[in-house]
Amino acid sequence: MPKINGNEIRPGNIIEHDGGLWAAVKVSHVKPGKGGAFAQCELKNIRDGRKLNERFRSEDRVEQVRLEQKDQQFLYESDGRLVFMDSETFEQTEIDADLLGERRPFLQDGMTATVEYYGEEALNVSLPQKVICTIVETEPVVKGQTAANSFKPALLDNGIKISVPPFVGQGEAVVVNTETMEYSERA
């Protein structure tokens, strides 16, 4: 694994630190009036979710970890485990459903997701940025309600509540951003 200087850490980098794998969430470079510059990093443990604030000086060396990314197809869920299949080798992998967190309802049967591996261990699942969902329940359009940026609540077919523009009705398919969990456009 390549070693990088402490001031080269960027958000999204995964480093090996204190015997664990940590993802850099926020990084700010600080130059105090007295002493050397350093990078103030907010790190999140990939395996257990713990957070840590750490200072890295430019002379500190940390190991940057490269994760192998594979596009895999979601097959089904069984006992809190998600089963994915590699589309090239047809090998099946079980991944803990908690890995997706609040994005779990957007995972649909047959969907292709990117699974990140460290050796043989699956550490992260990235869903497509936009997913098509159907609106199950929403308020009817109120005539004359044309105020700019007015939204109404809507319930999607996967159980998630989002805000949609007033012209979107029940039974319509909409595109939802899986990162922000917000309405994007009509499908």
Side-chain angles (χ1 to χ4, degrees), residues 84-131:
F84 287 88
M85 179 183 69
D86 191 320
S87 50
E88 294 171 10
T89 64
F90 302 108
E91 188 177 308
Q92 292 186 4
T93 307
E94 282 193 15
I95 298 170
D96 192 21
D98 293 339
L99 213 52
L100 278 171
E102 62 186 20
R103 297 171 299 147
R104 166 61 189 102
F106 291 109
L107 186 64
Q108 300 166 348
D109 291 343
M111 178 182 279
T112 300
T114 304
V115 181
E116 294 180 334
Y117 288 92
Y118 178 65
E120 295 294 314
E121 180 185 9
L123 294 178
N124 189 23
V125 178
S126 300
L127 296 178
Q129 188 175 4
K130 295 187 177 183
V131 175

Side-chain angles (χ1 to χ4, degrees), residues 43-57:
L43 305 172
K44 183 177 179 185
N45 191 303
I46 291 180
R47 292 191 174 107
D48 59 22
R50 286 181 296 149
K51 289 202 173 187
L52 173 72
N53 280 316
E54 195 73 39
R55 286 183 177 179
F56 294 100
R57 297 203 167 299

